[in-house]
Amino acid sequence: MKERHATRKPGIGIISAWLLGVAGLVAVGIAIGRPGLASPKPNQCVTCHQNDEDPDVSKSSKEWLTSIHARNGVECQDCHGGDPMNPDGEASMDTAKGYIGAPAKADIPKLCAKCHSDVVRMRPFRLPTSQFQQYQQSVHGKKLAQGDQNVATCVDCHGAHATLSKNDPNSAVYISNVPKTCGKCHADKTRMAQYKIPTTQLADYTKSVHGLALLQKGDRAAPNCASCHSAHGATPPGRTEVADVCGSCHPEQEKYLKQGPHWQAIADSGGPKCIDCHGNHGISPPTDAMLVDSGEHGCGNCHSEGDKGETVGKQIHNMLTVAKLEMDAAAAQTSLAEAEGMDVADIQADVPAINTTLLEARVILHGLSVNDISGKIQPAREQIAKSLRSAKAMQAASLDRRKTLGLAGVAVLLLAGALFWRWSLIRITWRAGQSGEVPG
């Protein structure tokens, strides 16, 4: 046993050493490739600035270590120039080595474009390379080119050193963080004063249909600022393009709008567009009342009483209102039938299809064709009427059942009374027989 144990021991040692070696290599690989860790190469910039007396400088160095740039080999000298391999701090910041220090704001977009406009360099990351070109055409880019230092550049949105992937929930450009990021500037009254731009956009968006869907419900399909204004090519949508911007998410509404009289009015006078009826940043849920409302977003805001537009609005509103009242009545009767124990599953199964049809009618109304809307609503009303008849028939059947049961109950009670009366007579006769008396 001892000999066998002795002969196996070296084998175990070799295997253990091999396993430890593999584990060590894996550990090193993980350490090098782990997100948030920089390249293991010595870097004089990091060595000095991590412990810089200036807390902002120290913070920047530490933020870079956790950035997506550090994770993918983009180092200090790629943006700031210099020689990070030189252990001499002064020599590492030699302008002959390309050291520029903090880049001028006007140079930042072009500096970022050194990498982000390079197709070969961006291919592994599947990133587009048109951002710089788009930025130059944007309001931000044009004003920066004119010398306006107040506008946003790449670092204002993506961060300078703590740059994270747009898919990272902590990133300033993560889909649900974009409104707040844009709001840093656009909700700042002092900053926007010189441009005469309102600063309520963020507050309006937060309470809007879009904002509630994205920020509270977590619906990532809901639009944020960049969805309508673009990200790098940020530009306010003009009145001539609003329908197409909204139509990228609402294609059916756009299709019917272009078939209706409003589209011709847009060509003739520039309106009304989507924002005239629905608003822009503070979009509220549309209601049927808008068709007869004279408020800011109602048909009456443009149309006078008695004109064709006002008449069409009333006709459509009347059709939708009647259908809704009929549906409410059918729902109420169905609830009563269900409360009486009737099987209303077949009636309830039709409700989603009816709701969908009425919703489609509200989409079609963007074309403002009374005949088209009527043609869509009428089948729904017929189905509603059928549901109402079925619910009432169930209630009538339930009433008949109750009447039958009531009559049966009365008959049982009468029979029970008659039997009791007969039993009483028999009992009286029996008692009389027992006493020798003749019952009177």
Side-chain angles (χ1 to χ4, degrees):
M1 291 293 291
K2 288 182 179 178
E3 290 180 1
R4 283 171 28 188
H5 180 69
T7 57
R8 291 175 63 190
K9 191 170 183 179
I12 293 173
I14 292 171
I15 293 172
S16 299
W18 180 79
L19 289 173
L20 287 171
V22 171
L25 289 173
V26 171
V28 170
I30 292 173
I32 292 174
R34 184 185 303 162
L37 292 183
S39 166
K41 293 185 297 183
N43 188 313
Q44 182 65 22
C45 308
V46 178
T47 302
C48 288
H49 289 302
Q50 268 189 313
N51 300 306
D52 199 287
E53 293 180 359
D54 186 334
D56 290 334
V57 174
S58 175
K59 179 184 177 184
S60 297
S61 179
K62 292 172 182 176
E63 285 179 341
W64 171 78
L65 286 169
T66 64
S67 73
I68 194 170
H69 284 153
R71 193 185 323 171
N72 289 286
V74 179
E75 299 188 329
C76 311
Q77 71 274 15
D78 293 310
C79 299
H80 298 282
D83 180 9
M85 305 299 290
N86 194 321
D88 184 330
E90 291 298 324
S92 67
M93 295 186 288
D94 188 350
T95 54
K97 295 287 187 178
Y99 179 73
I100 60 172
K105 185 163 188 173
D107 297 333
I108 288 174
K110 188 175 182 179
L111 180 62
C112 295
K114 279 199 315 179
C115 293
H116 285 277
S117 292
D118 187 332
V119 175
V120 175
R121 190 159 190 171
M122 291 297 106
R123 185 179 294 124
F125 308 106
R126 298 179 182 177
L127 289 176
T129 54
S130 60
Q131 297 98 321
F132 180 52
Q133 182 182 12
Q134 291 177 20
Y135 179 81
Q136 288 177 304
Q137 299 301 316
S138 72
V139 172
H140 295 152
K142 288 178 179 179
K143 286 194 171 296
L144 183 68
Q146 294 167 3
D148 188 343
Q149 298 286 302
N150 203 34
V151 299
T153 64
C154 315
V155 297
D156 293 301
C157 302
H158 294 275
H161 297 92
T163 309
L164 301 174
S165 165
K166 68 176 183 178
N167 297 318
D168 187 327
N170 294 313
S171 170
V173 293
Y174 184 69
I175 188 168
S176 58
N177 295 334
V178 167
K180 186 177 180 181
T181 297
C182 296
K184 285 192 307 181
C185 294
H186 286 278
D188 186 335
K189 292 182 179 180
T190 302
R191 191 162 190 164
M192 292 295 108
Q194 62 178 297
Y195 308 109
K196 295 182 172 59
I197 295 176
T199 54
T200 60
Q201 297 96 323
L202 178 59
D204 292 341
Y205 173 83
T206 301
K207 296 181 290 185
S208 73
V209 172
H210 294 154
L212 292 173
L214 178 63
L215 304 177
Q216 293 192 18
K217 298 177 183 178
D219 183 358
R220 296 186 62 188
N224 59 24
C225 315
S227 306
C228 302
H229 296 279
S230 179
H232 300 95
T235 304
R239 291 185 63 84
T240 58
E241 64 185 37
V242 168
D244 296 325
V245 171
C246 299
S248 62
C249 291
H250 302 284
E252 287 298 300
Q253 287 87 339
E254 180 188 17
K255 180 180 77 173
Y256 287 105
L257 171 67
K258 290 183 174 180
Q259 293 175 2
H262 281 167
W263 190 248
Q264 184 59 49
I266 290 168
D268 293 340
S269 59
K273 303 296 289 289
C274 309
I275 58 173
D276 294 311
C277 301
H278 298 282
N280 49 9
H281 298 99
I283 297 173
S284 300
T287 65
D288 296 343
M290 292 168 62
L291 292 161
V292 292
D293 189 9
S294 58
E296 181 182 2
H297 298 304
C299 295
N301 186 44
C302 296
H303 294 285
S304 303
E305 185 172 356
D307 73 11
K308 184 177 180 180
E310 192 260 357
T311 301
V312 169
K314 283 185 175 179
Q315 288 177 317
I316 297 172
H317 180 265
N318 181 63
M319 286 189 286
L320 291 170
T321 300
V322 169
K324 185 178 185 304
L325 291 173
E326 291 173 345
M327 190 166 185
D328 289 343
Q333 294 297 326
T334 302
S335 295
L336 290 175
E338 185 177 26
E340 292 174 5
M342 307 302 287
D343 183 2
V344 297
D346 288 342
I347 297 177
Q348 291 174 334
D350 292 331
V351 171
I354 295 171
N355 281 331
T356 298
T357 300
L358 293 178
L359 182 61
E360 290 171 349
R362 290 179 170 88
V363 172
I364 290 174
L365 73 77
H366 289 83
L368 297 173
S369 169
V370 174
N371 290 335
D372 288 348
I373 297 167
S374 176
K376 175 60 71 172
I377 291 178
Q378 191 56 38
R381 291 185 62 191
E382 291 172 1
Q383 187 60 53
I384 293 169
K386 178 183 174 182
S387 297
L388 182 60
R389 289 194 299 270
S390 297
K392 287 184 175 181
M394 288 181 180
Q395 290 184 64
S398 177
L399 179 60
D400 290 342
R401 184 177 64 182
R402 290 200 306 272
K403 287 180 179 179
T404 301
L405 290 174
L407 291 173
V410 171
V412 169
L413 289 174
L414 290 174
L415 179 59
L419 290 173
F420 180 76
W421 176 73
R422 181 62 180 164
W423 176 79
S424 297
L425 289 178
I426 293 172
R427 188 165 176 270
I428 292 170
T429 302
W430 178 79
R431 284 184 175 178
Q434 290 293 319
S435 63
E437 297 177 2
V438 178

